């Protein structure tokens, strides 16, 4: 056995109703002037968070958008400076947390994350900013949230379709963490437990969207998968999804959902014991998830362009990747044909 394990600092409060512990949490960190960040569709939750924070909240900015456009980041940074904020609470999915990270990147303000999807950004030091349709990403420890409050009650409002696709997005982190070159036994434990929790919880959520235990189990799994994402370097799957999202603006969680079974089948034995492509594809069918890039709006004419970009990029993967492999994989994912068993 040969590995290196470089743990990221992690402070987590988990449990239904834990939003009520947010004031103590920010108090423990020493924050007094907090700007709450959220997306426009989650303004009500943003206000709920502001209320929970009481006098410690100096404003709510409900302007987070997918992939953190630079103009939105600029506005959040200006508002934070104007209000003399000493920290941000980002409540929402990866888009809201990404906005918090953009403020942290420029001003060094600590971010407390209150995730409401399973995307996992709250567990990583990775930031992203989009300008003129091009997304830049980077790693910086100062954008890693100083504390994460996971309240499954806030995920009950997540539509079942988003719960499923966001859950598969989380599974993708765990799957690629299992074969990452910088994986380790502790990361593998988190990945396997995350996969176990999510694959059990997602069918229960589809069967009963109000099932609070299933929602809690899924969020627990998502936390572990996010921690795997933060600890390892992702492979072919994340490279494909990043390229599809960046160049064609395909929706994030749905794209992960369509692509993952095909990459797992391609990488074969590397993760077959935990999650194999054909079984995941069948599970997605039972859960009513999208299974073709065509239904996400991708044009077949774009397959070659994406294949060129992915084949020309450098990323670790357990199986070598050629342009024609990527092309074949993308074609199957576009058409929605089952991956090889
Ligand atoms: N930096 C990282 O490490 C990292 C990791 C994962 C994702 N991301 C980024 O995050 C973004 C995707 O995040 P996402 O998939 O969470 O999507 P998102 O944050 O864009 O949310 C999708 C939609 O769901 C709504 N929503 C979120 N939670 C809800 C809830 N509980 N109830 C009802 N509606 C809810 C949001 O308002 C939004 O309209 C992408 O830009 C991706 O690149 C970054």
């Amino acid at each position: 056995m040969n590995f290196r394990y470089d743990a990221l600092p992690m402070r987590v409060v988990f449990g239904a109703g834990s939003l009520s512990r947010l004031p103590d949490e920010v108090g423990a960190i020493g924050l007094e002037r907090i700007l709450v960040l959220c997306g426009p569709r989650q303004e009500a939750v943003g206000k709920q968070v502001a209320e929970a924070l009481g006098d410690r909240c100096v404003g709510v900015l409900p302007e987070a958008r997918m992939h953190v456009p630079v103009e939105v980041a600029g506005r959040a940074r200006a508002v934070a400076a104007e209000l003399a904020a000493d920290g941000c609470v980002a409540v929402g999915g990866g888009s809201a947390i990404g906005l918090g990270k953009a403020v942290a990147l420029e001003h060094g303000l600590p971010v407390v994350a209150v995730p409401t999807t399973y995307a996992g950004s709250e567990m990583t030091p990775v930031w992203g900013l989009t300008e003129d349709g091009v997304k830049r990403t980077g790693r910086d420890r100062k954008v890693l949230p100083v504390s994460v409050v996971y309240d499954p009650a806030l995920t009950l409002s997540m539509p079942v379709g988003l719960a499923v696709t966001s859950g598969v997005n989380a599974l993708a982190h765990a799957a690629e963490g299992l074969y990452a070159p910088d994986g380790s036994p502790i990361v593998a434990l988190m990945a396997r437990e995350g996969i176990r929790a999510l694959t059990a919880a997602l069918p229960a959520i589809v069967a009963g969207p109000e099932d609070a235990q299933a929602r809690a189990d899924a969020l627990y799994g998502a936390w572990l998968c996010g921690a795997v994402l933060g600890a390892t370097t992702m492979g072919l799957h994340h490279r494909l999804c990043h390229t599809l999202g960046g160049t064609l603006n395909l929706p994030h969680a749905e794209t992960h959902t369509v692509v993952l079974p095909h990459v797992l089948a391609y990488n074969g034995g590397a993760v077959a014991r935990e999650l194999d492509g054909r079984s995941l594809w069948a599970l997605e069918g039972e859960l009513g998830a999208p299974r073709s890039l065509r239904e996400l709006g991708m044009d077949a004419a774009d397959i070659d362009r994406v294949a060129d970009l992915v084949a020309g990029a450098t990323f670790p993967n357990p199986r070598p990747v050629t342009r024609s492999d990527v092309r074949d994989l993308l074609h199957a994912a576009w058409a929605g044909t089952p991956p090889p068993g």
Side-chain angles (χ1 to χ4, degrees):
M1 205 182 294
N2 241 319
F3 61 89
R4 203 185 71 184
Y5 179 57
D6 184 5
L8 290 170
M10 189 195 290
R11 184 179 165 112
V12 165
V13 179
F14 191 100
S18 55
L19 184 59
S20 65
R21 291 161 68 189
L22 183 63
D24 286 348
E25 199 51 24
V26 295
I29 296 159
L31 303 180
E32 299 288 347
R33 298 186 57 79
I34 296 163
L35 173 62
V36 174
L37 303 169
C38 60
R41 285 163 54 190
Q42 289 186 290
E43 193 169 352
V45 191
K47 288 194 170 143
Q48 197 186 334
V49 168
E51 218 163 88
L53 291 171
D55 290 348
R56 282 205 168 96
C57 178
V58 293
V60 178
L61 189 70
E63 294 181 17
R65 282 187 10 228
M66 190 77 113
H67 302 313
V68 197
V70 282
E71 47 292 359
V72 176
R75 179 151 159 72
R77 289 160 171 171
V79 171
E82 231 167 73
L83 297 172
D86 61 6
C88 295
V89 169
V91 56
S95 300
I97 293 166
L99 186 56
K101 287 176 166 182
V103 177
L105 188 66
E106 181 163 298
H107 294 317
L109 294 190
V111 186
V112 173
V114 183
T116 64
T117 70
Y118 309 136
S121 177
E122 68 281 358
M123 283 288 127
T124 84
V126 177
W127 54 266
L129 281 169
T130 305
E131 185 165 22
D132 299 327
V134 179
K135 185 165 178 178
R136 278 185 300 128
T137 59
R139 287 178 91 89
D140 192 322
R141 285 223 179 172
K142 72 172 178 250
V143 309
L144 180 72
V146 290
S147 174
V148 182
V149 175
Y150 285 105
D151 187 342
L154 296 177
T155 66
L156 276 165
S157 56
M158 204 183 341
V160 167
L162 175 60
V164 169
T165 54
S166 193
V168 178
N169 181 192
L171 287 175
H173 310 329
E176 293 224 293
L178 281 168
Y179 53 62
D182 41 7
S184 69
I186 202 165
V187 166
L189 286 173
M190 292 194 290
R192 291 198 187 99
E193 175 66 356
I195 290 171
R196 187 205 58 74
L198 270 164
T199 49
L202 295 179
I205 291 174
V206 171
E210 306 299 320
D211 185 338
Q213 186 59 52
R215 296 276 187 170
D217 291 346
L219 192 60
Y220 160 72
W223 160 50
L224 292 169
C225 294
V228 173
L229 174 70
T232 54
T233 308
M234 297 285 106
L236 173 62
H237 172 78
H238 281 74
R239 174 53 48 191
L240 274 166
C241 293
H242 184 91
T243 310
L244 286 163
T247 53
L248 308 177
N249 208 21
L250 294 187
H252 180 79
E254 290 91 332
T255 303
H256 275 269
T257 301
V258 171
V259 172
L260 187 61
H262 297 275
V263 173
L264 294 183
Y266 181 81
N267 283 336
V271 278
R273 205 155 50 91
E274 289 79 9
L275 193 66
D276 78 272
R278 195 63 179 255
S279 309
L280 179 63
W281 194 82
L283 177 67
E284 289 180 352
E286 286 161 28
L287 300 178
R291 288 193 294 184
S292 73
L293 293 172
R294 177 169 40 189
E295 71 192 279
L296 302 186
M298 181 179 174
D299 190 334
D302 287 321
I303 290 177
D304 282 341
R305 184 155 61 104
V306 174
D308 283 342
L309 288 168
V310 171
T314 308
F315 52 87
N317 199 57
R319 179 175 165 192
V321 180
T322 67
R323 183 188 179 281
S324 96
D325 294 333
V326 179
R327 215 194 149 279
D328 291 349
L329 191 159
L330 277 172
H331 198 271
W334 177 82
T337 51

